[in-house]
Short mmCIF file of all heavy atoms in Angstrom, two decimals:
data_model
loop_
_atom_site.label_atom_id
_atom_site.label_comp_id
_atom_site.label_asym_id
_atom_site.label_seq_id
_atom_site.Cartn_x
_atom_site.Cartn_y
_atom_site.Cartn_z
N ASP F 206 -11.83 8.25 -5.38
CA ASP F 206 -13.28 8.08 -5.29
C ASP F 206 -13.67 6.61 -5.45
O ASP F 206 -14.57 6.11 -4.77
CB ASP F 206 -13.98 8.95 -6.33
CG ASP F 206 -13.95 10.43 -5.98
OD1 ASP F 206 -13.59 10.76 -4.83
OD2 ASP F 206 -14.27 11.26 -6.86
N ASP F 207 -13.00 5.91 -6.37
CA ASP F 207 -13.25 4.48 -6.53
C ASP F 207 -12.92 3.73 -5.24
O ASP F 207 -13.65 2.81 -4.84
CB ASP F 207 -12.40 3.91 -7.67
CG ASP F 207 -12.91 4.32 -9.05
OD1 ASP F 207 -14.04 4.83 -9.13
OD2 ASP F 207 -12.17 4.13 -10.03
N ALA F 208 -11.81 4.11 -4.63
CA ALA F 208 -11.38 3.43 -3.39
C ALA F 208 -12.37 3.69 -2.26
O ALA F 208 -12.72 2.78 -1.50
CB ALA F 208 -9.98 3.90 -3.00
N LEU F 209 -12.81 4.92 -2.13
CA LEU F 209 -13.77 5.24 -1.07
C LEU F 209 -15.08 4.49 -1.28
O LEU F 209 -15.74 4.09 -0.31
CB LEU F 209 -14.02 6.75 -1.03
CG LEU F 209 -12.85 7.61 -0.55
CD1 LEU F 209 -13.16 9.09 -0.74
CD2 LEU F 209 -12.51 7.30 0.91
N ALA F 210 -15.46 4.29 -2.55
CA ALA F 210 -16.69 3.55 -2.84
C ALA F 210 -16.57 2.09 -2.44
O ALA F 210 -17.58 1.41 -2.25
CB ALA F 210 -17.03 3.66 -4.32
N GLN F 211 -15.34 1.58 -2.29
CA GLN F 211 -15.12 0.20 -1.87
C GLN F 211 -15.25 0.01 -0.36
O GLN F 211 -15.39 -1.11 0.11
CB GLN F 211 -13.73 -0.26 -2.31
CG GLN F 211 -13.57 -0.47 -3.80
CD GLN F 211 -14.31 -1.70 -4.28
OE1 GLN F 211 -14.33 -2.73 -3.63
NE2 GLN F 211 -14.93 -1.59 -5.46
N ILE F 212 -15.18 1.08 0.39
CA ILE F 212 -15.20 0.99 1.85
C ILE F 212 -16.64 0.96 2.34
O ILE F 212 -17.46 1.80 1.94
CB ILE F 212 -14.45 2.18 2.47
CG1 ILE F 212 -12.98 2.17 2.00
CG2 ILE F 212 -14.52 2.14 3.99
CD1 ILE F 212 -12.20 3.39 2.43
N PRO F 213 -16.99 0.01 3.19
CA PRO F 213 -18.37 -0.03 3.72
C PRO F 213 -18.79 1.29 4.36
O PRO F 213 -17.97 2.00 4.95
CB PRO F 213 -18.29 -1.16 4.76
CG PRO F 213 -17.18 -2.04 4.28
CD PRO F 213 -16.18 -1.12 3.66
N ASP F 214 -20.07 1.62 4.23
CA ASP F 214 -20.59 2.91 4.68
C ASP F 214 -20.24 3.20 6.14
O ASP F 214 -19.89 4.33 6.49
CB ASP F 214 -22.10 2.97 4.50
CG ASP F 214 -22.51 3.14 3.05
OD1 ASP F 214 -21.64 3.53 2.24
OD2 ASP F 214 -23.68 2.87 2.72
N ALA F 215 -20.35 2.20 7.00
CA ALA F 215 -20.11 2.43 8.43
C ALA F 215 -18.70 2.90 8.70
O ALA F 215 -18.45 3.61 9.68
CB ALA F 215 -20.40 1.15 9.21
N TYR F 216 -17.75 2.51 7.85
CA TYR F 216 -16.37 2.93 8.01
C TYR F 216 -16.07 4.18 7.20
O TYR F 216 -15.28 5.04 7.64
CB TYR F 216 -15.41 1.80 7.58
CG TYR F 216 -15.41 0.62 8.51
CD1 TYR F 216 -16.34 -0.41 8.37
CD2 TYR F 216 -14.48 0.53 9.54
CE1 TYR F 216 -16.34 -1.50 9.22
CE2 TYR F 216 -14.48 -0.56 10.40
CZ TYR F 216 -15.40 -1.57 10.23
OH TYR F 216 -15.40 -2.65 11.09
N ARG F 217 -16.68 4.31 6.05
CA ARG F 217 -16.39 5.46 5.21
C ARG F 217 -16.86 6.75 5.85
O ARG F 217 -16.21 7.80 5.71
CB ARG F 217 -17.06 5.28 3.84
CG ARG F 217 -16.75 6.41 2.87
CD ARG F 217 -17.15 6.08 1.44
NE ARG F 217 -18.59 5.91 1.29
CZ ARG F 217 -19.20 4.76 1.01
NH1 ARG F 217 -18.48 3.66 0.90
NH2 ARG F 217 -20.51 4.69 0.88
#
Side-chain angles (χ1 to χ4, degrees):
D206 287 349
D207 286 347
L209 291 172
Q211 289 289 320
I212 299 173
D214 286 343
Y216 290 86
R217 183 167 64 247

